[in-house]
């Protein structure tokens, strides 16, 4: 009998001959992920009647918010086998701490899966991923570690700038610029003379408020495309957002409200504002330039937002706290506050063929960030937006058909039904999931739906099967033909990409003497993720940073009189330390892996935090699949980027060394010529200065002789040219005269012969 969680000696003896304990590394059953099937309200039974706990934690089928977990006993003992006695020489020492084995049931599996999927959703909803600067000052080591994250951010920024530049040079925008420039030059579009936005602080503040209604990201992209220079380059470090906004304000003052070329034209660079007789012309030209640049900016941002050709899944065009929410309102306010003699600017522009259509609706300003997975998806709005993002739908037809605000149950059911219908059209069949399950917050149904979306859209998009197979073959060649891992249940499913992903992990782990059997217990200590990062980027994560864990513990025998298998650390680097150190190292490895994934950038933070990596906990399989899939894509991508950068640098250094070696004599020759040229110029200037002291008659005589020679040569050249032209004319005249004589003689001979015959 068991009392208070204690298992008596009689119970131990009665259990002799029971099933062997399942190994932690064995493959799990097909239905072991995410939920546990209940049979008549009890846990599944093994062949001999013992209860078996399913891996991944129990998820209730009724979708209730609270889950009744199966709590493991406080003390667990595993029977030793009496058929094969252990040698006494391998018994554990009494002073060593007994390590209870990890159980195969994780009651927090559903919670971990919810947290991982929440981070995965927010990875798409967060527009400023890897774009905001850290609030803490960065050291040189931090910058060196985050070089791949910086490369990713710069690559995305460069792609946005190239797309913006291409759109600004497109035929549509060229026509807009042509029409606006013509209207401004003709005076049909002009600013009021009393609205001096360059010198008057009140007018400048009003114009600044109008332009800063746009979000900082869009405003920076627009100004970079129009002026062809980087905006807010100094906005880095602490408070980067405020510095970026301040730099944009300064750029607006310098390039939109003013123009360095116009200022230099009227002031010669001596001041910032012209005065005197040129002041009126200067201010008029500045006003026309300001109006022209502002109209360029408004039309460009409208085209960029409506076409979606600049920012993929870009944020709202206007700030949420701004009073202006559409391009039309922006033009109307510009006309009302600054323009001269303009009643309806929209009518004026429509006659010229210019129209704007961007309007920011409440659905665009909706906060899509997920905090509670079960409740935040109930209204269907976030689910619809997520489907649009992962499916690449730029039309936003799903979110536009949402009923907002979705306060009643009928509105929520309508929104969820629209989202599920769109998934059915795209080929995702969900017979067991209904809109009521999502609205009611059925956690198991919500998790199943998100996994179906990931497997259908993201898995094939993130993972390139051909690249994955090439990586596996490459690593196997390095391993000299290592054994192929048994991919378990994933080999039986139609989705073989996950099996290839597990094989990729196993091939890399073979280099370090461990195996990746599954995506749960094999990843519990964080060593596999660390090894994956170390294989592609050894400088980012060194091998000596990876600590020994319970994977390095070896079963040595039974403790005397305890009947429990004991484990001791046999790794040389951890010998002599107790078993709790192994679990502390697991937490440190998981924390290290999460930090390095953050340094790589572009990977959802789906790994469990350090506090969850406990002795009896294990990662959730599907969450690990999501993490490793993104990790493979990012590692291969960053490996190619680093390789390209290294090749470019190597080629540059080689060319520079060759250039220096060959051009050194040439450089000396050019230096000598420059010195000689400077000396001759100084000598000529010295001669001229000496000539000023010579008599005026001598200088006049020299000048006269020079002029005489120059005129003689000029006259002779003209005479020779005239003689050549006369000779050519005479030759042409004689040739024409001889032709006429010859033709007349020939005709006379023909007539005489004809009469004679």
């Amino acid at each position: 009998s068991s009392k208070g969680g204690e298992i008596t000696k009689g119970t131990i003896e009665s259990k002799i001959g029971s099933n062997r304990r399942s190994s932690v590394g064995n493959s799990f059953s097909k239905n072991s992920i995410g939920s546990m099937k209940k049979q008549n309200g009890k846990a599944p039974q093994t062949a001999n009647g013992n209860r078996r706990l399913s891996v991944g934690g129990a998820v209730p089928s009724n979708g209730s918010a609270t889950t009744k977990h199966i709590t493991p006993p406080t003390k667990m003992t595993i029977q030793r086998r009496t058929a094969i006695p252990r040698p006494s020489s391998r018994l554990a020492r009494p002073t060593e701490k007994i390590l209870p084995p990890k159980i195969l049931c994780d009651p927090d599996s559903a919670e971990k899966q919810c947290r991982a999927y929440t981070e995965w959703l927010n990875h798409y909803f967060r527009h400023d991923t890897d774009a905001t600067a850290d609030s803490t000052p960065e050291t040189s080591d931090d910058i060196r570690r985050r070089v791949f994250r910086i490369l990713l951010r710069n690559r995305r920024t460069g792609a946005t700038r190239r797309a913006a530049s291409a759109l600004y040079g497109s035929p549509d925008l060229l026509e807009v610029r042509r029409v606006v420039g013509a209207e401004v030059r003709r005076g049909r579009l002009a600013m009021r003379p009393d609205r001096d936005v360059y010198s008057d602080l009140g007018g400048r503040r009003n114009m600044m408020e109008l332009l800063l209604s746009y979000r900082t990201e869009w405003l920076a992209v627009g100004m970079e495309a129009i002026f062809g220079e980087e905006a807010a380059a100094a906005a880095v470090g602490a408070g980067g957002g405020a510095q970026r906004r301040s730099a944009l304000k300064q750029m607006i003052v310098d390039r939109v409200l003013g123009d360095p070329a116009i200022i230099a034209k009227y002031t010669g660079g001596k001041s910032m504002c012209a005065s005197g007789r040129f002041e009126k012309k200067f201010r008029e030209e500045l006003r026309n330039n300001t109006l022209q640049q502002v109209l360029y900016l408004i039309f460009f941002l409208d085209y960029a937002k409506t076409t979606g050709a600049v920012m993929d899944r870009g944020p709202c065009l206007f700030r949420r706290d701004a009073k202006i929410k559409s391009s039309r309102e922006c033009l109307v306010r510009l006309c009302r506050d600054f323009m001269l003699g303009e009643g309806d600017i929209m009518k004026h522009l429509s006659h010229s063929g210019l129209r704007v259509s961007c309007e920011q609706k409440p659905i665009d300003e909706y906060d899509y960030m997920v905090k509670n997975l079960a409740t935040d998806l109930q209204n269907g709005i976030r689910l619809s937006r997520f489907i649009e993002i992962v499916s690449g739908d730029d039309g936003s037809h799903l979110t536009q058909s949402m009923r907002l605000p979705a306060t009643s149950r009928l509105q929520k059911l309508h929104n969820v039904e629209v989202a599920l219908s769109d998934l059915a059209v795209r080929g995702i069949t969900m017979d067991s999931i209904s809109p009521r399950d999502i609205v009611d917050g059925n956690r198991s149904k919500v998790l199943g739906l998100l996994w179906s979306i990931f497997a259908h859209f993201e898995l094939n998009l993130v993972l390139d099967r051909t690249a994955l197979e090439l990586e596996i073959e490459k690593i196997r060649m390095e391993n000299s033909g290592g054994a192929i891992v048994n991919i378990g249940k994933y080999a039986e499913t139609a989705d073989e990409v996950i099996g290839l992903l597990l094989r990729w992990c196993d091939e890399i782990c073979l280099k370090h003497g461990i195996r990746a059997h599954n995506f749960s217990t094999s990843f519990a200590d964080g060593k596999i993720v660390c090894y994956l990062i170390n294989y592609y980027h050894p400088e980012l994560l060194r091998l000596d940073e990876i600590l020994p864990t319970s994977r390095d513990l070896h079963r040595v025998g039974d403790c005397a009189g305890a009947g429990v298998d004991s484990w001791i650390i046999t790794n040389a680097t951890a010998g002599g330390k107790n078993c709790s150190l192994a679990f502390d190292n697991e937490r440190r490895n998981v924390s290290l892996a999460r930090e390095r994934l953050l340094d790589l950038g572009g990977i959802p933070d789906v790994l469990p935090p350090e506090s969850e990596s406990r002795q009896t906990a294990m990662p959730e399989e599907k969450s690990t699949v999501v993490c490793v899939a993104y990790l493979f894509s990012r590692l291969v991508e960053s490996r190619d980027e680093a390789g390209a950068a290294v090749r470019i640098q190597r080629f540059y250094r080689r060319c520079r060394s060759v250039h220096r070696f060959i051009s050194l004599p040439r450089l000396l020759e050019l230096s000598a010529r420059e010195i000689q040229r400077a000396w001759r110029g100084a000598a000529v200037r010295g001669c001229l200065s000496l000539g000023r002291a010579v008599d005026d008659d001598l200088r006049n005589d020299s000048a006269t002789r020079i002029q005489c020679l120059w005129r003689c040569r000029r006259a002779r050249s003209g005479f020779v040219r005239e003689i050549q032209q006369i000779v050519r004319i005479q030759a042409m005249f004689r040739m024409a005269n001889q032709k006429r004589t010859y033709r007349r003689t020939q005709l006379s001979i023909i007539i005489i012969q004809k009469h004679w015959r």
Side-chain angles (χ1 to χ4, degrees):
S1 60
S2 176
K3 296 181 180 180
E6 299 289 341
I7 301 179
T8 62
K9 183 177 181 180
T11 305
I12 296 176
E13 294 177 353
S14 63
K15 296 291 185 176
I16 295 178
S18 61
N19 287 347
R20 298 177 181 178
R21 175 173 54 87
S22 300
S23 176
V24 175
N26 293 338
S27 301
F28 303 115
S29 61
K30 188 173 183 179
N31 298 323
S32 62
I33 299 178
S35 64
M36 182 195 343
K37 293 185 177 179
K38 293 187 178 182
Q39 300 177 359
N40 299 328
K42 299 181 180 180
Q45 302 288 330
T46 58
N48 59 355
N50 295 331
R51 293 186 179 181
R52 176 173 56 83
L53 298 182
S54 175
V55 179
V59 181
S61 59
N62 56 358
S64 60
T66 59
T67 305
K68 184 177 181 181
H69 303 295
I70 300 177
T71 306
T74 57
K75 291 185 179 181
M76 176 174 288
T77 60
I78 300 176
Q79 303 300 325
R80 56 182 178 178
R81 293 172 290 177
T82 57
I84 305 177
R86 305 284 180 96
S88 60
S89 61
R90 299 182 61 187
L91 293 177
R93 294 188 297 272
T95 57
E96 293 175 344
K97 184 177 180 179
I98 298 176
L99 173 64
K102 291 186 178 180
I103 61 175
L104 298 182
C105 175
D106 187 5
D108 298 331
S109 174
E111 295 294 338
K112 293 177 183 179
Q113 195 172 354
C114 289
R115 192 197 70 84
Y117 283 171
T118 300
E119 292 295 333
W120 178 45
L121 293 174
N122 292 335
H123 176 72
Y124 286 97
F125 293 148
R126 190 181 296 112
H127 301 295
D128 299 333
T129 301
D130 298 333
T132 57
D134 298 332
S135 58
T136 58
E138 294 183 347
T139 62
S140 59
D141 294 336
D142 295 335
I143 297 177
R144 193 180 303 109
R145 275 201 328 267
R146 298 178 183 178
V147 62
F148 298 105
R149 184 179 177 183
I150 296 173
L151 282 175
L152 177 63
R153 181 180 59 194
N154 293 342
R155 181 164 56 84
R156 292 176 178 176
T157 304
T160 301
R161 288 172 177 169
R162 288 192 298 271
S165 178
L167 179 62
Y168 189 67
S170 62
D172 295 337
L173 267 299
L174 287 177
E175 179 64 18
V176 170
R177 291 156 56 188
R178 185 191 66 80
V179 172
V180 170
E183 293 292 312
V184 172
R185 286 192 299 271
R186 295 171 185 172
R188 299 184 61 183
L189 291 176
M191 294 186 66
R192 294 166 52 182
D194 58 333
R195 294 288 184 178
D196 189 359
V197 294
Y198 180 70
S199 302
D200 184 24
L201 295 181
R204 178 184 298 186
R205 183 171 57 253
N206 294 335
M207 180 63 74
M208 197 76 67
E209 181 182 356
L210 174 66
L211 295 180
L212 291 180
S213 299
Y214 292 98
R215 284 182 64 101
T216 305
E217 299 88 341
W218 284 106
L219 188 59
V221 168
M223 297 185 67
E224 287 176 354
I226 293 175
F227 299 110
E229 60 185 42
E230 185 177 358
V236 294
Q243 293 185 13
R244 183 179 179 87
R245 192 176 180 86
S246 177
L248 281 176
K249 289 182 179 180
Q250 187 62 39
M251 189 174 182
I252 290 174
V253 173
D254 295 339
R255 301 307 304 269
V256 179
L257 306 184
D259 188 6
I262 297 177
I263 296 175
K265 174 183 175 181
Y266 286 95
T267 64
K270 298 180 180 179
S271 63
M272 297 300 296
C273 186
S275 59
R277 58 177 181 174
F278 298 110
E279 181 179 2
K280 183 177 180 181
K281 185 66 175 178
F282 167 75
R283 297 188 182 278
E284 180 182 357
E285 195 166 344
L286 268 185
R287 288 194 299 268
N288 292 338
N289 177 76
T290 300
L291 178 60
Q292 188 170 334
Q293 301 299 337
V294 170
L295 291 177
Y296 286 171
L297 185 62
I298 293 175
F299 278 101
F300 171 78
L301 293 178
D302 183 85
Y303 273 69
K305 181 61 178 177
T306 53
T307 58
V310 176
M311 287 190 186
D312 186 20
R313 307 194 307 267
C316 300
L317 182 60
F318 298 94
R319 295 185 4 248
R320 294 183 179 180
D321 56 347
K323 299 180 180 179
I324 298 175
K325 299 295 183 180
S326 66
S327 301
R328 179 186 178 89
E329 294 180 7
C330 192
L331 289 174
V332 170
R333 182 168 178 180
L334 176 67
C335 174
R336 183 191 63 189
D337 296 343
F338 300 100
M339 297 190 67
L340 173 65
E342 194 69 41
D344 188 357
I345 188 173
M346 300 304 302
K347 186 176 181 180
H348 184 170
L349 294 176
S350 63
H351 288 328
S352 302
L354 304 181
R355 293 177 177 82
V356 291
S357 58
C358 181
E359 182 179 359
Q360 188 165 298
K361 300 180 180 179
I363 190 65
D364 299 326
E365 300 179 355
Y366 191 81
D367 184 13
Y368 292 101
M369 300 300 293
V370 179
K371 298 179 181 178
N372 190 331
L373 190 65
T375 59
D376 289 347
L377 299 183
Q378 289 179 345
N379 56 11
I381 298 175
R382 294 180 178 87
L383 181 61
S384 301
R385 180 57 181 163
F386 179 66
I387 294 172
E388 288 178 348
I389 293 174
V390 297
S391 62
D393 184 12
D394 298 332
S396 302
H397 69 282
L398 276 181
T399 54
Q400 299 301 329
S401 60
M402 294 289 104
R403 294 180 179 177
L404 191 70
T407 55
S408 66
R409 181 177 177 84
L410 291 178
Q411 292 174 335
K412 295 179 181 179
L413 287 173
H414 170 267
N415 295 342
V416 175
E417 186 175 359
V418 170
L420 296 183
S421 300
D422 185 80
L423 288 178
V425 172
R426 298 180 186 276
I428 301 180
T429 58
M430 296 162 295
D431 299 333
S432 60
I433 301 177
S434 64
R436 295 181 181 274
D437 296 330
I438 307 301
V439 174
D440 293 338
N442 192 324
R443 186 165 60 177
S444 61
K445 302 292 185 180
V446 172
L447 295 178
L449 174 63
L450 293 178
W451 175 254
S452 300
I453 295 175
F454 173 79
H456 183 80
F457 292 109
E458 284 300 299
L459 192 60
N460 295 326
L461 182 62
V462 173
L463 288 179
D464 185 2
R465 180 169 180 174
T466 304
L468 188 55
E469 291 177 349
L470 292 176
E471 286 294 321
I472 293 174
E473 293 300 326
K474 177 182 176 182
I475 299 171
R476 288 191 62 192
M477 291 177 62
E478 295 178 0
N479 293 340
S480 300
I484 301 178
V485 66
N486 182 14
I487 58 179
K489 61 185 176 183
Y490 288 111
E492 302 174 358
T493 61
D495 193 359
E496 299 179 356
V497 181
I498 298 180
L500 293 175
L501 190 65
L502 185 61
R503 184 179 300 178
W504 169 69
C505 298
D506 187 74
E507 292 293 341
I508 294 179
C509 292
L510 282 176
K511 292 177 172 293
H512 306 280
I514 62 176
R515 301 297 297 270
H517 298 280
N518 49 57
F519 284 108
S520 58
T521 55
S522 298
F523 286 79
D525 55 1
K527 294 184 72 174
I528 293 183
V529 179
C530 293
Y531 284 144
L532 295 178
I533 299 175
N534 171 263
Y535 177 77
Y536 287 92
H537 301 297
E539 71 283 354
L540 183 62
L541 196 153
R542 303 186 307 273
L543 282 176
D544 55 3
E545 297 183 76
I546 306 175
L547 303 176
T549 61
S550 60
R551 191 188 296 268
D552 302 309
L553 301 179
H554 181 65
R555 187 187 298 112
V556 297
D558 299 340
C559 293
V564 180
D565 292 341
S566 64
W567 306 63
I568 63 172
I569 298 179
T570 59
N571 192 295
T573 60
K577 295 188 178 180
N578 54 22
C579 300
S580 61
L581 177 62
F583 299 108
D584 293 338
N585 290 345
E586 287 187 8
R587 289 191 290 268
R588 295 189 183 97
N589 286 341
V590 173
S591 177
L592 178 64
R594 294 181 72 244
E595 291 178 1
R596 295 303 179 263
L597 292 179
L598 181 63
D599 293 339
L600 281 174
I603 303 175
D605 185 17
V606 297
L607 286 181
E610 181 181 353
S611 59
E612 292 188 10
S613 181
R614 300 186 301 270
Q615 172 179 339
T616 58
M618 69 183 75
E620 201 278 326
E621 278 190 292
K622 293 181 180 178
S623 305
T624 308
V625 170
V626 174
C627 176
V628 176
Y630 281 92
L631 178 60
F632 170 79
S633 176
R634 187 70 187 101
L635 285 176
V636 174
E637 181 185 39
S638 59
R639 189 265 314 271
D640 296 339
E641 289 179 350
V646 169
R647 285 192 294 270
I648 293 174
Q649 292 174 357
R650 187 183 299 117
F651 179 78
Y652 170 75
R653 293 190 184 100
R654 184 170 64 250
C655 292
R656 186 177 61 177
S657 62
V658 172
H659 177 72
R660 285 181 176 179
F661 177 75
I662 294 179
S663 62
L664 183 59
R666 178 65 176 171
L667 181 62
L668 296 176
E669 180 182 356
L670 292 176
S671 302
R673 288 185 178 183
E674 187 67 23
I675 294 173
Q676 292 175 0
R677 186 182 299 110
W679 183 85
R680 292 190 185 100
V684 170
R685 288 191 295 272
C687 292
L688 291 177
S689 62
L690 291 176
R692 295 189 185 96
V694 183
D695 189 31
D696 293 338
D697 296 336
L698 181 61
R699 286 184 299 170
N700 293 335
D701 183 61
S702 300
T704 302
R705 293 186 62 181
I706 292 173
Q707 292 175 0
C708 180
L709 292 174
W710 183 80
R711 292 191 184 111
C712 178
R713 184 174 180 179
R714 183 178 179 183
R716 183 174 180 82
S717 299
F719 174 77
V720 171
R721 189 166 51 252
E722 290 177 358
I723 293 298
Q724 291 176 353
Q725 293 174 356
I726 292 172
V727 170
R728 186 176 302 174
I729 293 173
Q730 292 177 353
M732 294 178 63
F733 174 79
R734 293 190 186 99
M735 181 184 66
N737 192 17
Q738 291 295 328
K739 282 184 178 181
R740 286 195 300 268
T741 304
Y742 173 77
R743 290 175 181 174
R744 186 167 54 250
T745 304
Q746 185 182 21
L747 182 60
S748 302
I749 293 173
I750 292 173
I751 294 174
I752 292 172
Q753 291 176 353
K754 180 179 179 181
H755 284 282
W756 184 82
R757 293 190 184 102

